[in-house]
Each structure stands twice: as C-alpha cells, then as structure tokens.
Amino acid sequence: MQSLIHQIEARLQNLPVPVAVRLPAGQQVGPSQAPVTLTFNDWSSLATMAAGQIGRMAEDFVENRIQLKGQMRDLMAVAAKLLPGHPIGERSAWWTHILHRAKSLAAHTPIKDARQIQFHYDISDDFYALWLDPRQVYSCAYYRETDMSLAQAQEAKLDHICRKLMLQRGERFLDIGSGWGGLLLWAAEHYGVQATGITLSKNQHAHVEAEITRRGLQGQARVLLLDYRHLPEDALFDKISSVGMFEHVGQANMPQYFGKIRRLLRPGGLTLNHGITAGAPGVDQLGHGMGDFIEKYIFPGGELLHVSQLLRETALAGLEMVDTENLRPHYARTLWAWSDALEAHLDQATVILRTTAGEQGAERILRAYRLYLAGSAMSFEQGWISLHQMLSTRPDGDLTSGSMPGAQSQYPFNREGMYR
C-alpha cells in the first residue's frame, strides 16, 4: 500500500488545484485546507485514481465508493490533469469498428431506442427545470453576444436555427427529436410555420402537448410520440430540423436516418442537423473510461461520429451540405451554466428525484448528473468532443430555380440572412 500512497502523493504535486485525499485507513494525504477533498472507501478506487482512469473514478463516485467535497469547476481542472494521456489520442483498430457497428445495429431497434430515450429524458421534468432555462432547451446555446444569459443565448440559438432554415409563414416544418418543444414552439410563434415535432419521451410529449394548448397553437403545432422511422412519407416538409438527435441514432443506422430525412424533405427544401460530434475521426468514444461512464449512467446507446463521417452520410443520402458551423465553445459555456445551476439546487434536486427514484436512486442519479454536466463542459473546452450545425438541401434538379443559376434549392449561397 505504501507504493500506492507514494504514487498518489506524486500525482497531487502537479495538480492545478490543491487536493486532499483521505485514505481508507483514515489518514490524509495532501493539504488539510484544500479546496477539493476526495475520500476513498476502498483501496481499489485509490488505484483507479493513480492510473488516471477518470471514468472509473466517476463510477466510484456515483456508487458512493468515493466522496467528493469541493466545487465542480475545481474538480474538473484536477480531472483533466489526472489523465495519463489524451482521451482521443488513439484510433480504434479496424476490428473494433466492426464490433462497434454490430453493437450499434443491435442497440438501435425502435423498442430499444424508446427505452434508452426514456431512461434519460423521463427522469423528472421538475429535475431538468431546476437547471435548464425557462424554455427547457436541452441543447447547446448560442452566445451571440458575450454578455448573454443562458435564457437569452437559448433564444438566440432557436432563432439562429430558424434563420438558417429560412422559415416562412405557412411552411410545413418538422422537428425530429423535439425535446420540451423549445424550437417547435419558437418556430410556430415567431415564424408562423405549420410545425410538427416527434419524440420518444413520454414526459416531453405530454409537456409539449400542454404547452401547445396553453399557447393557443392548436391547429398550427402538434407533437407525436413516434420513432422517426415510422413517420409517414405521404406529405413532404418544406424544412426539417434535428437538434441533439443524431447522437441517439447509432452509426449503423445513419444511412437509414439521413435517407428518411431526404424522403421527408421536399425538393429544394432545407434541413439542419445540430448535434454533438466526436473530437477526431475514427474514435468511437472518449478513452480512460469516460465514454463507458456516459454509456452506463447517462446516455445508453449514445454514439458520437466525427463531423466528416456525418457529412459523408449526408452526401450518400443525396443531400447537399451548404453550411457547417462549429459551436464547440458555446456548448462548454452552456454546460457550465447548467452545472452551476444544478450545484445551486442540490437539496431541491434530491427531494424531486426521491419522488420518482427513491432515496438511493435519487442520490445516484444526482451524483451522475453532477459529473456528467461538469465533465462534459470540460470535454468541450478541451476539444475532446465538439458540436456542429450542418445545413443541407435536397437539390430539386432545376438549374433555373433558386437565387442564382444552379442553386437548385431555396438556399441563397450566402450567410447574410443568418446573421443580419
């Protein structure tokens, strides 16, 4: 054990924030008044720290084998320095990709996708409301101005998407994976579209239905509890958005997903995909156990692809990419805002979660989400994962349509309308 203790002492020397470690036997290593204190209940968890297996440490925290005292921002600064190497430094072997694809295919049936979505999104609407903005927009905000609040930045994001899609009054608009309805309702109220949203979350479906009624949008907006694969193709949409959705689709189903979007989109129409992307090509998940932690506790079935892979699938489906924007640091700031809000309401969050998950379940969920939000913020800051908006068209084949010869779509081939 002395060797392990010496390893821990050596690791503590080079951290950006002083850390105290309380050992299973009761003694303490590190300064007594450190801003971060980690208490270990068994020696195996201490060995995990010495090895820099951050994902395993996170699991030990969720399962209460490690206790944490300190600010999440300080803890994440420490976590980044504990890693033994870059978490996206190595590409997976070719045979790993084959196994990953087979796993992806098995994990993303309509029944399993519904179960996985409900695992995450149906925890408790009241829990999410504690740390999201008033519109409950659960995706990357757009800090168009540096002094924007989270609520302002989320509204800026909603409008940014609507501008990119060039929404016009009366157009048929589809939002795939519509969440708590932020974009769906914004588009209906501010752009006058005929809006349809689909979700697999029962809680979100009920919430959006109630909001449609409360806002008097019956006949203009609707939400369906429906898998994207089951959406009828007899009536085409002028514009289609998908925000925070393709992460749940699975690599093996990407051809089916983008093919479905193309078939639902009228010729000349626009579609925007907004979602989390991998930090490097050929990397299936974050290393050092971080990806495994997210899979187990937060997003079962979630898969990240590099933007280059997503654009390839877009093109293979017959869609033309016309604009791609990287909003990675915007998501870091969004996640820190969520993390800070949750940290400010820990007691209230525990009470809320106990009503649906019981006492032990509530504690586990809360510990998992504390690490998930702060750890994701750190990962976006570091560039280990990213966030892209990809705008595409379904060319109509008419060389005379559009704003200039050969446009073959409504897209003007400039960005003036997005930022004006």
Side-chain angles (χ1 to χ4, degrees):
M1 294 303 174
Q2 281 303 121
S3 175
L4 180 58
I5 293 172
H6 289 324
Q7 290 182 52
I8 294 299
E9 288 176 328
R11 299 300 299 271
L12 296 181
Q13 295 299 316
N14 300 314
L15 297 178
V17 177
V19 175
V21 172
R22 292 177 180 165
L23 305 176
Q27 65 267 48
Q28 179 169 307
V29 177
S32 58
Q33 299 299 320
V36 174
T37 299
L38 301 174
T39 300
F40 291 81
N41 297 337
D42 57 59
W43 293 101
S44 63
S45 297
L46 202 65
T48 298
M49 178 181 175
Q53 290 295 312
I54 298 302
R56 289 275 304 280
M57 283 188 68
E59 180 171 345
D60 286 343
F61 173 68
V62 172
E63 300 300 338
N64 209 28
R65 293 187 287 266
I66 299 175
Q67 286 82 47
L68 161 69
K69 182 179 179 182
Q71 301 295 316
M72 296 306 293
R73 289 176 182 263
D74 288 338
L75 180 67
M76 289 306 125
V78 170
K81 291 298 183 180
L82 285 176
L83 293 173
H86 203 291
I88 58 171
E90 294 185 5
R91 296 186 180 187
S92 303
W94 64 269
W95 53 268
T96 303
H97 288 292
I98 294 176
L99 291 175
H100 181 80
R101 185 174 181 82
K103 179 184 175 183
S104 174
L105 193 63
H108 291 286
T109 66
I111 292 176
K112 289 182 179 178
D113 277 342
R115 188 181 303 131
Q116 288 164 172
I117 290 297
Q118 290 160 18
F119 173 90
H120 182 85
Y121 295 96
D122 288 354
I123 289 174
S124 165
D125 282 3
D126 291 337
F127 171 66
Y128 283 106
L130 282 179
W131 43 274
L132 295 177
D133 67 294
R135 293 180 181 273
Q136 291 188 231
V137 182
Y138 192 24
S139 53
C140 174
Y142 177 54
Y143 289 89
R144 188 179 59 228
E145 307 293 340
T146 56
D147 60 349
M148 278 182 163
S149 66
L150 174 64
Q152 291 170 329
Q154 289 293 15
E155 290 187 350
K157 186 270 298 294
L158 299 178
D159 211 58
H160 195 44
I161 291 174
C162 291
R163 284 173 175 269
K164 284 187 175 186
L165 287 169
M166 302 175 63
L167 295 184
Q168 302 293 322
R169 182 170 298 278
E171 286 185 329
R172 299 188 75 246
F173 169 61
L174 171 66
D175 188 21
I176 301 175
S178 52
W180 283 281
L183 179 58
L184 183 79
L185 299 170
W186 184 272
E189 290 184 322
H190 291 81
Y191 288 83
V193 297
Q194 293 293 316
T196 297
I198 61 172
T199 179
L200 292 176
S201 164
K202 294 178 181 178
N203 284 13
Q204 291 178 340
H205 177 257
H207 176 89
V208 178
E209 280 199 324
E211 280 296 300
I212 288 172
T213 300
R214 188 179 73 83
R215 296 166 186 257
L217 294 172
Q218 303 95 318
Q220 186 182 349
R222 62 174 182 159
V223 62
L224 307 174
L225 189 64
L226 187 68
D227 190 289
Y228 73 93
R229 287 163 284 203
H230 299 155
L231 195 62
E233 300 174 12
D234 52 344
L236 301 183
F237 293 90
D238 299 292
K239 309 289 170 60
I240 298 175
S241 66
S242 175
V243 179
M245 163 62 188
F246 61 66
E247 302 96 310
H248 300 289
V249 169
Q251 175 186 346
N253 285 343
M254 284 298 169
Q256 184 180 17
Y257 169 72
F258 284 109
K260 183 71 172 183
I261 289 177
R262 184 191 181 279
R263 294 192 300 275
L264 289 169
L265 184 65
R266 71 161 174 82
L270 295 170
T271 179
L272 183 139
N273 271 274
H274 164 126
I276 302 171
T277 53
V283 177
D284 294 327
Q285 64 177 11
L286 289 177
H288 308 306
M290 290 188 287
D292 293 332
F293 172 80
I294 293 294
E295 165 76 20
K296 181 173 181 178
Y297 291 101
I298 306 298
F299 288 117
E303 298 179 40
L304 300 185
L305 297 178
H306 190 258
V307 62
S308 61
Q309 296 168 279
L310 290 161
L311 292 176
R312 181 177 186 272
E313 294 290 354
T314 300
L316 289 173
L319 298 167
E320 180 183 13
M321 188 279 291
V322 291
D323 188 89
T324 296
E325 185 173 16
N326 186 339
L327 298 179
R328 178 181 59 78
H330 291 265
Y331 212 178
R333 183 171 171 181
T334 303
L335 281 151
W336 277 128
W338 292 343
S339 175
D340 291 343
L342 178 58
E343 292 298 305
H345 295 93
L346 293 179
D347 291 341
Q348 194 174 351
T350 302
V351 172
I352 290 171
L353 290 171
R354 281 174 181 163
T355 63
T356 57
E359 186 168 353
Q360 289 188 344
E363 297 288 347
R364 291 174 75 251
I365 291 170
L366 185 55
R367 289 193 291 264
Y369 270 73
R370 292 180 68 194
L371 291 184
Y372 148 61
L373 293 176
S376 295
M378 173 190 69
S379 296
F380 279 102
E381 282 185 338
Q382 296 282 345
W384 299 337
I385 48 179
S386 194
L387 187 290
H388 285 84
Q389 288 186 347
M390 294 159 282
L391 183 67
S392 304
T393 71
R394 177 183 173 180
D396 61 15
D398 182 356
L399 300 186
T400 65
S401 70
S403 61
M404 61 178 62
Q408 301 184 56
S409 71
Q410 189 178 350
Y411 184 67
F413 286 87
N414 66 59
R415 288 181 167 182
E416 293 301 313
M418 297 181 192
Y419 298 105
R420 187 181 302 120

